[in-house]
Amino acid sequence: EERLVRFGERAALAAVNGPSATVVSGEPAALEELKAEFEAAGARARMVAVDYASHSAQVDRLEEEITTVLAGISPRRGRVPMVSAMTGETLTGEELDAGYWYRSLRATVHYDRAVRALAGRGHQVFVEVTPHPVLMGAMNDTLVDLAQETGGEPAAVCGTLRRDDGGAEDAGQLGAVLPALASWRRREQDRSATADWRYRTVWSPVAEPDARVLTGTWMLLAPAGCAEELRHQCAAALMARGAEAVVAEVPAGTVDRAELTALLIGAVDPSAVSGVLSLLALDEAPLADHPTVPGGLAVTLGLVQALGDAGIEAPLWIATRGAVAAGRGEKLSHPVQAQVWGLGRVVGLEHPERWGGLVDLPKTLDERAGGRLVAVLAGCKENEVAIRAAGILGRRLAHVSGRGTQESWSPRGTVLVTGGTGAIAGHVSQWLAGRGAERLVLTGRSRP
């Protein structure tokens, strides 16, 4: 699209067939110029022999003829819904009047988008019904690309006929393929009851709001002797955008709610607090009397209780660093802090009236990242975010296709089954024991 701007109506984006398959149409001279430019850049480009350039301005002169010839068509509702490669919407059939077909011939064909939409709904076999396949490669690229994004398996792609091979012998070959597809379909339908229950966490870019400012007094809680540089960076970001930052340092090992309540009341007037940003989760040192519990997790729980005791109703934001792997290829650098994300989600359900959210910070909170942090705190309609060099990323649940998945986990040693007092737990326990679990520990339902 950027390369086509200089040509005006002499060239247009005709079709986006896949991640690496694009069609441009327009005047031959403009296309030859583009072809040479693409080839010089190392891209494969070839001319397509056609009588006129569809999906470009050349179609404008045909509008009256097309709409006149098709004016007698009365579209009606079809039995099979279709996804429009022009709009990306699901159509019933009643929309396909003369005007639609003209617009379809004039507009860009977003074939890639239509394939993604169908795959996103769970369709797992794509058949190109043509006298010769031309889009199978592009479809396969799209489905492989989508599978890599979601962590699932790519759908299957096949054709029907091939050029110079469309006689009775080929038809016999299709007769052998269709029963196999029908059998496969029946097996997939048998598994469909649970196929749509599979989800995974993904991180998607969030549109950054305009420059935001904060007002009032913000309390910044930080663990003593830990992440001091990040503490200063957060305070600077808050004050640079209008807030008054009150920094309160929490001594190591302080987890008692009464002590924390006294600390909060002594640091600021509870009624004057506009927001709370906690860096306490960054303390990964274990508690002296409970060595399996990190101090940051315990003090965060105490903080939630203390905020209620102190009468601070302002939203609480819990910050971590390296607790989630949000970017592509990113590894979890501080998994201990991930426990606070589990606690935070429970807090959000228990105390929605004074919950802000969870935010995972980058290693260095420079001016740009500080601005993104303020945008999140000021309200960007997200409550589980990661701030990275690429921008603000929001946590999402994405559907994962069950196609091709196999149960391969073999339990070893002791396995904990929570909520293990019901009938389902009995079946799960038997399955675990049969797969190699040496000891099972079942717990009943309890509040966090």
Side-chain angles (χ1 to χ4, degrees):
E1 289 179 334
E2 293 176 359
R3 292 173 185 264
L4 293 176
V5 170
R6 72 177 190 270
F7 293 100
E9 291 192 347
R10 296 178 59 216
L13 184 64
V16 181
N17 291 329
S20 58
T22 304
V23 181
V24 177
S25 66
E27 297 180 4
L31 300 185
E32 290 289 355
E33 184 178 336
L34 273 173
K35 180 174 179 291
E37 185 178 316
F38 285 128
E39 290 175 338
R44 178 177 177 270
R46 67 182 181 88
M47 299 293 290
V48 180
V50 292
D51 296 330
Y52 66 93
S54 56
H55 310 290
S56 77
Q58 292 189 21
V59 179
D60 292 344
R61 69 190 70 170
L62 300 175
E63 179 177 8
E64 183 177 355
E65 179 182 351
I66 292 173
T67 53
T68 299
V69 170
L70 301 180
I73 293 180
S74 298
R76 62 183 183 182
R77 179 176 292 270
R79 291 178 296 174
V80 179
M82 62 175 282
V83 174
S84 171
M86 177 177 64
T87 66
E89 299 174 348
T90 300
L91 306 181
T92 64
E94 298 163 300
E95 306 88 346
L96 308 182
D97 57 9
Y100 174 86
W101 290 115
Y102 167 73
R103 294 191 300 274
S104 178
L105 186 64
R106 176 65 174 86
T108 301
V109 178
H110 292 281
Y111 192 78
D112 175 87
R113 181 176 63 189
V115 172
R116 286 176 177 269
L118 290 168
R121 299 174 189 175
H123 294 285
Q124 299 170 348
V125 177
F126 289 75
V127 182
E128 182 181 1
V129 185
T130 56
H132 183 73
V134 293
L135 292 172
M136 282 179 57
M139 267 196 294
N140 188 67
D141 289 345
T142 296
L143 295 169
V144 169
D145 191 52
L146 184 62
Q148 291 175 345
E149 294 175 4
T150 60
E153 292 290 330
V157 178
C158 63
T160 50
L161 303 176
R162 290 188 177 275
R163 188 179 295 118
D164 300 325
D165 188 17
E169 181 180 350
D170 185 74
Q173 180 187 13
L174 187 61
V177 172
L178 288 178
L181 285 175
S183 177
W184 173 88
R185 178 60 178 167
R186 285 192 295 271
R187 292 195 303 271
E188 288 299 308
Q189 287 179 326
D190 292 339
R191 299 195 307 172
S192 63
T194 60
D196 291 337
W197 295 0
R198 300 174 184 267
Y199 291 85
R200 66 189 295 265
T201 297
V202 297
W203 294 88
S204 302
V206 174
E208 295 188 29
D210 298 334
R212 298 292 183 92
V213 295
L214 293 176
T215 59
T217 300
W218 276 73
M219 174 170 278
L220 178 61
L221 295 160
C226 179
E228 294 183 0
E229 183 180 1
L230 182 60
R231 178 195 319 174
H232 296 312
Q233 292 169 346
C234 289
L238 294 173
M239 293 186 293
R241 289 161 180 83
E244 178 186 353
V246 175
V247 180
E249 190 175 80
V250 178
T254 303
V255 297
D256 181 73
R257 64 191 293 177
E259 294 181 33
L260 290 168
T261 301
L263 186 149
L264 294 173
I265 296 176
V268 67
D269 177 6
S271 63
V273 179
S274 299
V276 179
L277 176 61
S278 170
L279 303 180
L280 299 177
L282 275 68
D283 180 10
E284 300 183 7
L287 294 179
D289 50 348
H290 297 284
T292 60
V293 180
L297 177 63
V299 71
T300 300
L301 174 59
L303 171 64
V304 173
Q305 297 168 334
L307 287 170
D309 294 342
I312 297 178
E313 300 294 331
L316 167 64
W317 286 89
I318 300 175
T320 57
R321 186 166 60 182
V324 297
R328 178 169 292 184
E330 187 176 308
K331 294 183 179 180
L332 201 64
S333 57
H334 291 277
V336 172
Q337 297 180 35
Q339 298 176 70
V340 179
W341 279 68
L343 171 63
R345 291 173 188 137
V346 175
V347 175
L349 295 173
E350 295 284 347
H351 303 286
E353 73 284 355
R354 52 187 177 93
W355 176 242
L358 293 153
V359 55
D360 195 71
L361 301 175
K363 185 175 182 180
T364 301
L365 197 74
D366 56 19
E367 183 178 354
R368 189 170 187 179
R372 288 169 175 159
L373 172 61
V374 171
V376 171
L377 300 180
C380 66
K381 298 182 180 180
E382 300 285 337
N383 59 14
E384 293 187 28
V385 301
I387 297 176
R388 297 294 186 264
I392 301 174
L393 303 176
R395 181 177 178 269
R396 301 287 186 269
L397 281 180
H399 177 261
V400 177
S401 170
R403 178 180 179 269
T405 57
Q406 295 181 352
E407 299 291 350
S408 58
W409 177 61
S410 296
R412 291 177 294 178
T414 301
V415 178
L416 172 66
V417 181
T418 61
T421 58
I424 294 178
H427 293 290
V428 172
S429 299
Q430 292 179 6
W431 183 87
L432 291 169
R435 300 279 292 189
E438 299 175 4
R439 180 170 176 263
L440 297 174
V441 178
L442 281 68
T443 64
R445 181 177 300 173
S446 62
R447 293 178 63 84

